[in-house]
């Protein structure tokens, strides 16, 4: 059963309360740590300076995958660990993590030959213990073209099809946050750790600025974990932790309408420019393409998509799909994210290990960086084994072992297969105006909480005569009450992904959405106008390149 998230109540609990664990950062890593710790019985507080998942955790390729490319770097341990996690996360959130077919075409003189592809995928299936029905299959030249007729024929020698798992990174982070809250964790967005607090030369909490009320407050905790993603070094700097440092690399994605690039399934192919592999992944009415991997030295809060980034991806698509003629002006939306990788001397961005690493400063600030969205559960386990050990030594208390392998994520309490669940809910919601497609999309985002949204739509019937307004209001109400949405961008960018995947629709509804949100959040007209302007800037940035 989901509980409403009450920000004021949570803020009140922070004062006069000493937590076992304070987590700084509300991306997937921090969210995972909060859930793992709370489900072991620790008293946990998590703070996020902007919105949950507003850092890298909403800017990834949105795959829960074993990282085939890491085989090239001989990172067998990493492939095994994250490969096995795919099946686990799919089991814990079947609505949010879905298997898809990935086609890998093989070309003469390409970066992978037929033989190396078969070996690589075979090793991958073996390391990741992939179930029989999901193992790779090699394809003949004609079979590849049957699956993807738009691929270049010249030099095509065959290919392979294998399974990847598609997700929504920001939604996955939110599901983990909500599950952590069910175990008593206090999780707050728009709360920035401004300064670490020390007692006898040990970190014992943080001074925090609440951006909503413009108030500062102090949070005390026995152990502090820094899960600041690309900002990890900024926070580590305060605890004099300087022996290793991050190497940030930028990766961008572009989104084009599927009618301009009509691939019928996800394709993983190499770029003619430098032989790197990139993805083209269909999602509803669009296809997204990525990613790049370039060293980043700019402002961490604002990684931007450049025209050169976009051209790199477009040229790669046009070369591999000769009848497709993408241009920069066709790009509907985009995003840029930063990989918080651990610096390795002399290594190019693409060659740096994606392995996670934990640093402990002399004053006991525990920081974690590197890693993948896919590995969040295992990373959280490693961090909390350390934390639990420290709590045990300091207080002679026992904290249980990791529980998350068997903890379904919020919204996953289906009593039937997901497809059947969609059918049932679609039947009920028809009378209030939802189509089956809309219910399918709600279930992908919210799982069984779709029922609350349908109930909202019935209840809001008398306030919103127009069907589209009623549906929008029902979803907004849920996101305010249960997912701590504080502004228009939280909803249109991270809770729903609409800015990336449905920009033409967003343009028609964002002002209505701002008005409805204004009612639920009791905003003044000036505040609503400010939120509109903020979102308009985000829309502009999504399809304007520097
Ligand atoms: P973040 O998501 O950045 O979270 C850190 C948070 O800390 C931020 O929200 C930030 O606001 C907050 N914060 C910072 N300072 C403070 C402070 N002082 N006070 C409070 N909060 C603070 N992995 C996969 O498994 N699959 C993929 O398909 C995939 N694709 C990727 C594609 C790209 C282009 C990139 C860049 C990465 C990709 N990854 C992928 C990797 C994955 O996205 C990251 O490993 C993961 O999202 C990192 O999460 P995080 O929580 O560590 O960092």
């Amino acid at each position: 059963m989901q509980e409403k998230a009450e920000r004021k109540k949570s803020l009140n609990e922070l004062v006069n309360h000493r937590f076992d664990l304070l987590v700084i950062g509300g991306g997937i890593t921090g969210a995972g740590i909060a859930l793992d710790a709370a489900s072991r019985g620790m008293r946990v507080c998590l703070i996020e300076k902007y919105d949950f998942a507003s850092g890298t955790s909403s800017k990834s390729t949105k795959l829960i995958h074993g990282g085939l490319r890491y085989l090239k770097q001989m990172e067998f341990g990493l492939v095994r660990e994250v490969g096995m996690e795919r099946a686990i996360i799919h089991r814990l959130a079947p609505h949010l993590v879905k298997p898809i077919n990935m086609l890998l075409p093989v070309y003469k003189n390409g970066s992978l030959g037929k033989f190396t592809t078969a070996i690589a995928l075979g090793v991958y299936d073996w390391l990741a213990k992939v179930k029989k029905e999901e193992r790779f299959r090699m394809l003949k030249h004609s079979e590849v073209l049957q699956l993807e007729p738009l691929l270049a024929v010249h030099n095509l020698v065959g290919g392979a099809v294998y399974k990847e798992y598609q997700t929504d990174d920001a939604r996955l982070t939110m599901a983990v946050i909500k599950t952590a809250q069910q175990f008593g964790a206090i999780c707050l967005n728009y709360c920035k750790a401004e300064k670490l607090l020390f007692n006898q030369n040990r970190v014992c909490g943080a001074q925090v600025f609440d951006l909503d009320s413009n108030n500062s407050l102090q949070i005390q905790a026995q152990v502090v974990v820094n899960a600041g993603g690309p900002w990890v070094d900024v926070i580590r700097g305060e605890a004099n932790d300087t022996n290793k440092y991050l190497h940030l690399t930028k990766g961008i994605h572009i989104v084009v309408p599927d009618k301009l690039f009509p691939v019928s399934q996800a394709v993983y192919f190499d770029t003619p420019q430098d032989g790197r592999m990139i993805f083209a992944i269909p999602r509803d009415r669009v296809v997204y393409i990525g990613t790049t991997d370039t060293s980043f030295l700019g402002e961490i809060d604002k990684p931007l998509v450049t025209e050169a980034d976009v051209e790199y991806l477009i040229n790669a698509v046009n070369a591999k799909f000769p009848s497709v003629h993408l241009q920069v002006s066709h790009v509907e939306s985009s995003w840029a994210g930063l990989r918080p990788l651990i610096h390795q001397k002399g290594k190019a961005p693409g060659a740096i290990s994606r392995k996670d690493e934990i640093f402990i400063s002399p004053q006991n600030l525990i920081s974690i960086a590197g890693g993948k969205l896919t590995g969040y559960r295992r990373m959280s386990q490693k961090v909390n084994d350390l934390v639990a050990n420290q709590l045990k030594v300091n207080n002679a208390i026992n904290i249980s072992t990791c529980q998350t392998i068997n903890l379904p994520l919020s919204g996953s309490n289906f009593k039937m297969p997901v497809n059947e669940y969609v059918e049932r809910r679609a039947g009920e919601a028809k009378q209030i105006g939802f189509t089956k497609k809309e219910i399918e999309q709600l279930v992908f985002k919210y799982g069984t909480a779709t029922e609350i949204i349908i109930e909202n739509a019935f209840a809001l019937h008398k306030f919103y005569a127009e069907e589209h307004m009623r549906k929008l209001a029902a979803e907004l109400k849920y996101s305010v009450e249960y997912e701590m949405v504080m502004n228009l961008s939280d909803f249109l960018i991270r809770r729903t992904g609409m800015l990336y995947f449905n920009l033409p629709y967003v343009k028609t509804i964002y002002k209505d959405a701002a008005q409805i949100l204004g009612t639920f959040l009791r905003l003044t007209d000036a505040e609503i106008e400010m939120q509109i302007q903020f979102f308009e800037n985000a829309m502009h940035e999504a399809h304007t390149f520097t």
Side-chain angles (χ1 to χ4, degrees):
M1 183 59 197
Q2 288 201 22
E3 280 178 31
K4 290 189 183 178
E6 292 175 52
R7 187 183 173 81
K8 269 212 181 98
K9 197 172 141 211
S10 300
L11 275 166
N12 288 341
E13 281 184 46
L14 299 186
V15 193
N16 304 328
H17 204 108
R18 188 160 183 238
F19 291 92
D20 293 325
L21 175 64
L22 170 65
V23 183
I24 302 175
I28 190 68
T29 310
I33 294 168
L35 170 59
D36 181 299
S39 58
R40 291 183 195 217
M42 296 183 217
R43 287 166 305 163
V44 183
C45 175
L46 176 147
I47 47 168
E48 161 54 50
K49 68 173 173 170
Y50 299 130
D51 187 24
F52 301 118
S54 57
T56 307
S57 299
S58 54
K59 318 277 177 45
S60 77
T61 309
K62 306 176 195 302
L63 291 174
I64 295 296
H65 62 161
L68 193 54
R69 69 169 64 165
Y70 312 126
L71 270 184
K72 250 185 162 178
Q73 299 164 348
M74 313 286 269
E75 300 225 39
F76 299 117
L78 185 63
V79 174
R80 189 179 55 235
E81 185 171 305
V82 289
M84 283 166 62
E85 279 302 293
R86 299 188 322 175
I88 297 172
I89 306 173
H90 171 59
R91 174 169 53 78
L92 302 180
H95 60 295
L96 202 46
V97 178
K98 297 189 293 197
I100 54 167
N101 280 337
M102 185 68 70
L103 175 66
L104 197 161
V106 176
Y107 285 86
K108 196 171 153 196
N109 305 327
S111 62
L112 284 171
K114 245 180 146 172
F115 181 65
T116 42
T117 300
I119 297 276
L121 287 170
V123 172
Y124 177 76
D125 280 357
W126 175 68
L127 283 173
K129 295 197 169 61
V130 174
K131 7 182 210 194
K132 205 166 168 197
E133 62 276 19
E134 293 197 353
R135 291 192 193 143
F136 82 99
R137 197 162 55 84
M138 290 305 288
L139 302 173
K140 289 195 250 164
H141 170 280
S142 57
E143 291 173 307
V144 173
L145 290 175
Q146 215 171 0
L147 286 175
E148 210 46 81
L150 299 183
L151 272 168
V153 181
H154 185 60
N155 279 340
L156 180 71
V157 290
V161 69
Y162 67 101
K163 285 276 187 249
E164 287 281 27
Y165 282 67
Q166 190 174 23
T167 190
D168 182 307
D169 44 10
R171 293 277 349 143
L172 181 65
T173 306
M174 200 62 231
V176 177
I177 292 270
K178 288 195 286 186
T179 318
Q181 287 174 323
Q182 284 164 11
F183 281 91
I186 293 185
C187 302
L188 287 161
N189 51 358
Y190 296 98
C191 275
K192 181 177 181 182
E194 287 192 312
K195 220 167 70 175
L196 295 175
L197 302 174
F198 296 90
N199 183 14
Q200 295 180 345
N201 212 24
R202 274 177 83 86
V203 180
C204 66
Q207 179 169 311
V208 172
F209 187 72
D210 172 20
L211 277 86
D212 185 42
S213 64
N214 285 336
N215 278 329
S216 282
L217 55 133
Q218 295 200 337
I219 303 177
Q220 309 281 341
Q222 301 208 49
V223 183
V224 178
V225 169
N226 165 14
W231 295 265
V232 150
D233 278 354
V234 180
I235 300 164
R236 284 172 72 222
E238 270 199 65
N240 300 321
D241 189 5
T242 50
N243 63 341
K244 283 196 179 182
Y245 55 95
L246 296 190
H247 181 143
L248 301 182
T249 79
K250 185 180 81 170
I252 74 128
H253 289 81
I254 55 173
V255 179
V256 295
D258 65 355
K259 59 178 189 289
L260 296 177
F261 182 24
V263 271
S264 42
Q265 81 231 286
V267 189
Y268 187 37
F269 57 100
D270 50 12
T271 56
Q273 300 98 310
D274 52 13
R276 285 185 60 254
M277 306 282 291
I278 63 169
F279 294 99
I281 305 175
R283 181 169 151 165
D284 298 328
R285 47 166 292 283
V286 294
V287 177
Y288 64 98
I289 305 153
T291 176
T292 56
D293 200 352
T294 50
S295 288
F296 181 81
L297 295 168
E299 204 187 323
I300 307 179
D301 279 41
K302 240 184 180 351
L304 293 174
V305 177
T306 66
E307 197 152 318
D309 294 329
V310 176
E311 274 167 1
Y312 171 88
L313 295 177
I314 280 181
N315 290 341
V317 169
N318 291 347
K320 272 280 144 49
F321 299 84
S323 59
V324 172
H325 302 289
L326 288 183
Q327 296 169 16
V328 176
S329 60
H330 294 147
V331 176
E332 208 175 88
S333 191
S334 68
W335 63 89
L338 297 177
R339 300 176 185 85
L341 307 177
I342 322 289
H343 179 73
Q344 290 177 293
K345 206 170 165 202
K347 286 214 170 169
I352 301 174
S353 169
R354 266 57 177 166
K355 256 199 231 139
D356 54 279
E357 205 167 317
I358 295 174
F359 314 101
I360 307 180
S361 81
Q363 289 114 329
N364 201 41
L365 174 70
I366 301 177
S367 301
I368 178 152
K372 308 265 304 158
L373 185 76
T374 308
Y376 83 89
R377 206 190 58 80
R378 293 295 297 268
M379 288 163 71
S380 311
Q381 178 175 358
K382 285 184 224 166
V383 167
N384 283 320
D385 284 347
L386 254 170
V387 175
N389 207 26
Q390 291 196 0
L391 292 174
K392 191 169 146 191
V393 171
N394 293 349
N395 310 317
I397 51 165
N398 251 333
I399 304 282
S400 74
T401 52
C402 179
Q403 305 292 310
T404 54
I405 195 162
N406 288 319
L407 277 187
L409 296 183
S410 173
S412 300
N413 52 332
F414 297 99
K415 307 257 180 319
M416 60 192 85
V418 178
N419 290 348
E420 202 180 317
Y421 179 86
V422 169
E423 290 287 344
R424 292 244 187 129
R425 296 290 88 82
E428 287 162 16
K430 206 167 154 189
Q431 41 178 321
I432 199 78
F434 284 105
T435 62
K436 185 178 164 201
K437 181 85 200 153
E438 284 167 340
I439 291 296
E440 215 167 57
Q441 288 169 341
L442 287 176
V443 172
F444 176 56
K445 286 184 272 185
Y446 306 101
T448 52
T450 299
E451 289 161 48
I452 304 177
I453 297 171
I454 296 172
E455 272 170 30
N456 285 349
F458 277 107
L460 290 166
H461 189 252
K462 53 180 180 285
F463 301 107
Y464 298 97
E466 280 181 82
E467 199 177 285
H468 84 276
M469 290 286 277
R470 192 186 316 136
K471 291 189 244 179
L472 189 60
E475 197 171 344
L476 274 160
K477 187 170 192 296
Y478 174 80
S479 68
V480 168
E481 290 181 345
Y482 293 86
E483 297 198 337
M484 290 166 283
V485 156
M486 303 275 286
N487 60 55
L488 189 61
S489 299
D490 294 347
F491 180 73
L492 294 177
I493 304 177
R494 288 164 293 274
R495 297 304 177 280
T496 62
M498 277 195 230
L499 171 71
Y500 302 138
F501 299 111
N502 212 351
L503 199 63
Y505 172 68
V506 163
K507 285 182 179 163
T508 66
I509 57 102
Y510 74 96
K511 288 189 178 163
D512 286 340
Q515 293 300 334
I516 300 170
L517 196 61
T519 322
F520 294 139
L521 291 174
R522 295 171 200 215
L523 302 176
T524 62
D525 286 349
E527 285 168 332
I528 294 173
E529 191 46 41
M530 233 170 73
Q531 295 205 358
I532 288 177
Q533 277 176 22
F534 198 83
F535 181 69
E536 283 175 343
N537 278 342
M539 273 202 296
H540 179 74
E541 269 173 16
H543 59 77
T544 318
F545 311 114
T546 55

